[in-house]
Amino acid sequence: MAEEDDHYGKHGEPRKYDPNFRGPIQNRGCTDIICCIFFILAIVGYVAVGIVAWSQGDPRKVIYPTDSMGQFCGQVGTPLEKKPFLFYFNILKCASPVVLVEFQCPTTQLCVEECPTRSMTLVQAKAPGGDWSYYKKFCKDVSDTETVPNILAKRLCPAMLIASKPFTRRCFPALGLKGDEVTVGNKTTFNDGQSDRKASDLLPAVKNATIVMETRLVVMKIFEDFAHSWYWIVTGLVIATVLSLIFIVLLRFLAGIMVWVMIVLVILVIGYGIFHCSMEYVNLKNAPGSNVTLKELGFQMDLTVYLHIRQTWLAFIIILAIVEVVIILLLIFLRNRIRIAIALIKEASKAIGHVMSSLFYPLFTFALLAVVIAYWAITAVFLSTSNEPIYKIFNMGNKECIYANQTCNPENYSRSDMKLDCPESQCLFAFYGGESHYHKYLIFLQFYNVFLFFWCANFVIALGQMTLAGAFASYYWAFNKPRDMPTCPVFASLGRALRYHTGTLAFGALILAIVQIIRVLLEYLDHKLKGAQNKFAKFLLCCLKCCFWCLEKFIKFINRNAYIMVAIYGKNFCTSARDAFFLLMRNVIRVAVLDKVTDFLLFLGKLLIVGIVGIISFFFFSGRTKGLDVVPNLHYYWVPIMTIALGSYLIAHGFFSVYGMCVDTLFLCFCEDLERNDGSAARPYYMSSSLRDILFKNVEDPVTRSPSSPQEEDVPLSTRKESTE
């Protein structure tokens, strides 16, 4: 007894016997009201930010290229509707470092109907017999009587045209190779209006310009792939949903068999992955260019390039082999605990059988999360495009200009003193980023958008956890299952959570959101310090990232168990978190035996669903399934595969999280049951005899007394009711 008192003294007092306790308390009050008020005000502010963003933002800035006057090329309903391509007067200017700094070439840019298909100079075009009518398409409003010197002085036309091809709606030189020499328009030289130059001189300019646009091109291709394959993606997600439902239903009736089948199938699926990667590795042995290392290849926007490299498949083989070995070793060393966890999953299956609506609750959570994610994404896009156009001075001559890169107004720049001091300069559109009073706080609005996204997403997840916890607690604390359970335990629990504990949910979600936003800031700092040489700063940042990752995992664990206690007793967040933590510490041996082992088994179930759907998707979208003519033609076939794999994991996680929440709730209720009752006729256990056998026979707790023979007997329902009334 001394040992028991000392143990309880360290981790709080155990629950006392209460004959009136019937599970989740109905007579409860609102908790954490202050945090509820703050959350409501934050949501109102979030709506206000969205309204401001939607009223000021313009997504066309992302879709259409912009000329030197800030007009959108190809925008429907404007004079430039039939001029979708952006033409650079002097593409050689794009070799300037300013391109990478300000994402803008220091040369006049004009919207045109088509890119030039042949190379010529302004002098050649204006000469007798020259094709001036064609050349004029790439000029501003210019009179046919203007002389060449006047045209060049007024910057009305480019000094030269270079044969080009459209790339992300921009005209770039049509470079090629003839032997070892670079060509443009099938010629190794071009005339820049003053002299002949090598086509290779265009390479730096094209490279700098395309670096800015390449990411946008990849994004556009990805969107096109989504547009061409969205119905197949939906089909894949439906298959994942059906598989998850079938697996959950089978788990309800054949828990023990299905868990072992799941373990074997996971091992076989990963084994097949190793075999497939090995075959790809062998088949690329004599392929040209397949022996290039990943380091030599560098980063490529087209991820399919990596699939033609042997080293990629070797990396896949090593990773899958390590995963396979780790899983097998865990299964060997945890085989006894796995038996206990399987028995606990069987008990959870019985609970879910009485609360079948809990299997469909994740769909409600998915819907709410989809709204939160969509609102955040749309607001972020509109905020990022709500800036006003900024015009800067670009020096077009060789003489240095002291006003270079300063902001200007294109409407009166030609009459300004800056133009007089720098006659060869021009006031051109640079980027969107207005310096008005509103735009000065744009970065804070974006930060607020991200923070509220984390807060709202965590709130939705917390609502789901508390709702399921209340439903399964109603099952556990019912004398006669299911007669003593509420008619709709899930809806009853959801109503209690929203009516009384919105503030508590917001409080727990706020703590987690703060930690997550700190992790985002640390990742941002890490990105900024990549080129730094300070080893101590890198080490400190790495330690902070590790610490906050661990802190986030710990807070998620505490929040999850706190919500279970709130669902049962209706107390505030801090009190519930403390009670849950002390309860787990008083049963730390059982926690060590059951908690993570059960999570590990459920994780294997998720891997199985993702593996099956992922393999089917790979063979379908990669065109390796013979006899199918319905495969869409995609830029990157990995886009739908990765989308389906990620979506399948989220779907499987949603369904398996019901089991995880059920196991955690039953476990906490079991620990409370041991402290409240002793198994006698006067204080009978609420747990079933099978659950009692699982946790008493397989776990020896020096603190909790082993049940005596009277406690092993099943107490009739009438005796239980009489003893508690």
Side-chain angles (χ1 to χ4, degrees):
M1 290 298 293
E3 181 184 359
E4 182 177 344
D5 293 340
D6 180 64
H7 182 83
Y8 282 143
K10 292 179 182 178
H11 306 298
E13 293 297 325
R15 293 283 180 182
K16 303 298 183 182
Y17 172 70
D18 182 4
N20 297 318
F21 182 69
R22 294 289 187 275
I25 296 174
Q26 301 298 323
N27 186 17
R28 58 178 71 194
C30 297
T31 55
D32 298 303
I33 299 175
I34 295 178
C35 194
C36 179
I37 295 173
F38 279 131
F39 185 61
I40 293 174
L41 292 177
I43 293 296
V44 172
Y46 200 19
V47 173
V49 170
I51 293 174
V52 171
W54 299 336
S55 62
Q56 300 292 327
D58 190 354
R60 294 175 303 176
K61 299 171 185 177
V62 179
I63 301 173
Y64 300 104
T66 310
D67 68 7
S68 295
M69 299 306 295
Q71 303 174 99
F72 301 122
C73 299
Q75 182 188 347
V76 179
T78 67
L80 301 179
E81 179 179 354
K82 296 182 179 180
K83 296 182 177 181
F85 302 108
L86 187 67
F87 170 71
Y88 299 90
F89 267 31
N90 188 356
I91 191 68
L92 293 173
K93 291 285 187 179
C94 295
S96 169
V98 74
V99 176
L100 300 180
V101 176
E102 297 186 349
F103 298 95
Q104 190 75 5
C105 274
T107 184
T108 302
Q109 298 170 40
L110 189 70
C111 297
V112 295
E113 294 182 7
E114 60 178 359
C115 296
T117 56
R118 44 187 168 146
S119 301
M120 69 175 72
T121 63
L122 177 61
V123 175
Q124 294 171 343
K126 291 288 288 182
D131 196 349
W132 169 243
S133 59
Y134 176 78
Y135 200 98
K136 194 166 65 170
K137 295 179 180 179
F138 306 97
C139 299
K140 298 180 181 178
D141 293 333
V142 57
S143 172
D144 293 339
T145 59
E146 287 276 6
T147 61
V148 172
N150 286 341
I151 292 175
L152 294 177
K154 297 178 181 179
R155 302 285 196 279
L156 298 177
C157 291
M160 60 178 175
L161 292 183
I162 299 176
S164 305
K165 291 183 178 179
F167 178 76
T168 65
R169 296 190 180 186
R170 290 160 176 82
C171 299
F172 290 118
L175 299 179
L177 282 176
K178 183 181 291 184
D180 294 332
E181 290 189 283
V182 178
T183 62
V184 56
N186 294 322
K187 296 182 180 180
T188 57
T189 61
F190 70 96
N191 192 302
D192 65 356
Q194 297 178 349
S195 61
D196 289 337
R197 300 182 61 171
K198 291 184 177 181
S200 57
D201 293 344
L202 293 167
L203 284 176
V206 173
K207 182 179 179 181
N208 276 353
T210 54
I211 285 175
V212 176
M213 306 305 167
E214 198 171 42
T215 302
R216 181 178 294 179
L217 174 66
V218 172
V219 172
M220 290 173 63
K221 286 184 176 180
I222 289 174
F223 276 117
E224 289 179 7
D225 288 344
F226 277 125
H228 293 153
S229 63
W230 66 267
Y231 44 90
W232 291 113
I233 293 175
V234 172
T235 303
L237 297 180
V238 170
I239 293 174
T241 304
V242 172
L243 284 177
S244 299
L245 273 174
I246 292 174
F247 200 91
I248 289 294
V249 172
L250 291 176
L251 203 61
R252 160 69 182 90
F253 298 102
L254 304 168
I257 297 175
M258 287 304 300
V259 169
W260 287 112
V261 169
M262 174 184 68
I263 292 172
V264 173
L265 287 178
V266 167
I267 295 174
L268 291 177
V269 168
I270 297 177
Y272 172 77
I274 296 173
F275 170 76
H276 180 81
C277 294
S278 301
M279 293 301 296
E280 292 287 346
Y281 180 77
V282 172
N283 292 335
L284 288 173
K285 183 177 181 179
N286 298 320
S290 62
N291 291 321
V292 177
T293 64
L294 294 174
K295 185 176 181 180
E296 293 173 344
L297 184 63
F299 177 74
Q300 301 292 327
M301 289 292 186
D302 186 0
L303 298 184
T304 56
V305 173
Y306 295 102
L307 299 180
H308 300 287
I309 306 300
R310 296 188 77 202
Q311 199 175 79
T312 302
W313 295 103
L314 180 61
F316 287 158
I317 294 171
I318 295 173
I319 293 171
L320 290 175
I322 292 174
V323 172
E324 185 88 324
V325 171
V326 169
I327 290 177
I328 293 175
L329 290 177
L330 285 174
L331 292 173
I332 292 173
F333 288 107
L334 298 177
R335 59 186 181 277
N336 292 327
R337 294 185 179 183
I338 287 174
R339 294 193 188 99
I340 305 171
I342 289 174
L344 194 58
I345 291 176
K346 288 182 180 179
E347 193 64 26
S349 297
K350 295 179 182 178
I352 292 175
H354 291 294
V355 192
M356 287 299 291
S357 57
S358 62
L359 290 177
F360 301 96
Y361 184 83
L363 299 177
F364 178 67
T365 300
F366 285 148
L368 291 180
L369 283 176
V371 172
V372 171
I373 294 172
Y375 186 89
W376 163 77
I378 294 173
T379 303
V381 169
F382 274 83
L383 278 176
S384 62
T385 58
S386 63
N387 289 323
E388 296 175 352
I390 290 295
Y391 299 86
K392 288 196 173 185
I393 299 173
F394 290 96
N395 187 23
M396 302 299 180
N398 297 323
K399 185 179 178 181
E400 185 178 352
C401 178
I402 60 174
Y403 302 110
N405 293 326
Q406 291 187 15
T407 57
C408 58
N409 186 347
E411 296 180 359
N412 58 13
Y413 182 72
S414 59
R415 302 184 301 273
S416 66
D417 295 336
M418 293 183 287
K419 179 66 174 178
L420 294 176
D421 294 339
C422 302
E424 295 184 331
S425 65
Q426 281 189 284
C427 181
L428 303 178
F429 169 79
F431 55 89
Y432 285 99
E435 299 295 332
S436 65
H437 181 74
Y438 157 69
H439 293 99
K440 290 180 180 178
Y441 301 100
L442 195 60
I443 184 65
F444 298 104
L445 295 178
Q446 286 283 21
F447 179 83
Y448 187 79
N449 183 35
V450 174
F451 180 73
L452 262 292
F453 165 71
F454 283 129
W455 196 357
C456 293
N458 290 325
F459 178 87
V460 171
I461 294 172
L463 176 62
Q465 291 175 343
M466 186 179 292
T467 299
L468 293 175
F472 293 128
S474 299
Y475 161 83
Y476 185 93
W477 296 109
F479 273 122
N480 188 6
K481 302 174 179 60
R483 192 178 69 183
D484 292 345
M485 293 173 58
T487 305
C488 299
V490 172
F491 290 106
S493 181
L494 176 62
R496 286 196 302 269
L498 290 175
R499 180 180 178 184
Y500 298 108
H501 306 302
T502 300
T504 299
L505 295 170
F507 190 17
L510 175 63
I511 296 173
L512 190 55
I514 292 173
V515 175
Q516 289 172 335
I517 202 69
I518 292 174
R519 289 192 63 201
V520 170
L521 293 175
L522 289 175
E523 291 292 340
Y524 175 77
L525 289 176
D526 186 37
H527 176 72
K528 288 295 184 181
L529 293 175
K530 279 190 179 296
Q533 302 297 324
N534 193 328
K535 301 295 183 182
F536 177 76
K538 291 183 178 179
F539 172 76
L540 181 61
L541 191 60
C542 183
C543 292
L544 287 173
K545 288 169 61 178
C546 180
C547 291
F548 275 95
W549 180 84
C550 295
L551 180 61
E552 181 182 354
K553 297 299 180 184
F554 177 74
I555 290 176
K556 284 183 177 179
F557 175 76
I558 291 297
N559 283 9
R560 185 182 180 91
N561 290 282
Y563 296 144
I564 296 174
M565 301 301 283
V566 173
I568 298 174
Y569 296 104
K571 296 182 180 179
N572 61 43
F573 178 83
C574 293
T575 302
S576 300
R578 181 199 62 194
D579 292 344
F581 179 75
F582 284 157
L583 179 61
L584 293 172
M585 290 303 297
R586 293 197 295 269
N587 296 270
V588 66
I589 296 180
R590 290 190 173 92
V591 174
V593 169
L594 297 174
D595 185 48
K596 291 305 175 184
V597 178
T598 307
D599 290 343
F600 172 67
L601 293 180
L602 296 177
F603 176 71
L604 290 183
K606 301 172 194 176
L607 282 185
L608 179 62
I609 300 297
V610 174
I612 293 175
V613 178
I615 289 174
I616 295 173
S617 302
F618 174 76
F619 277 98
F620 178 79
F621 288 106
S622 63
R624 305 196 180 197
T625 305
K626 297 180 180 180
L628 287 179
D629 297 329
V630 294
V631 180
N633 186 19
L634 305 174
H635 298 288
Y636 311 120
Y637 68 80
W638 52 264
V639 170
I641 294 174
M642 292 182 65
T643 304
I644 291 174
L646 178 60
S648 299
Y649 179 82
L650 293 176
I651 290 171
H653 176 75
F655 286 105
F656 280 91
S657 65
V658 175
Y659 261 86
M661 202 66 207
C662 182
V663 169
D664 288 347
T665 304
L666 293 181
F667 180 73
L668 280 187
C669 291
F670 163 80
C671 295
E672 291 258 328
D673 197 6
L674 285 181
E675 294 182 354
R676 286 180 174 277
N677 307 299
D678 57 10
S680 64
R683 295 165 57 185
Y685 288 130
Y686 282 73
M687 70 187 78
S688 65
S689 58
S690 57
L691 182 60
R692 186 171 70 242
D693 293 339
I694 295 166
L695 298 176
F696 272 132
K697 290 182 179 180
N698 294 286
V699 182
E700 294 181 2
D701 192 337
V703 175
T704 307
R705 293 169 296 180
S706 298
S708 58
S709 55
Q711 297 167 3
E712 294 287 348
E713 299 175 0
D714 290 332
V715 181
L717 176 62
S718 58
T719 306
R720 289 188 176 187
K721 287 187 176 181
E722 291 172 1
S723 63
T724 56
E725 291 177 354

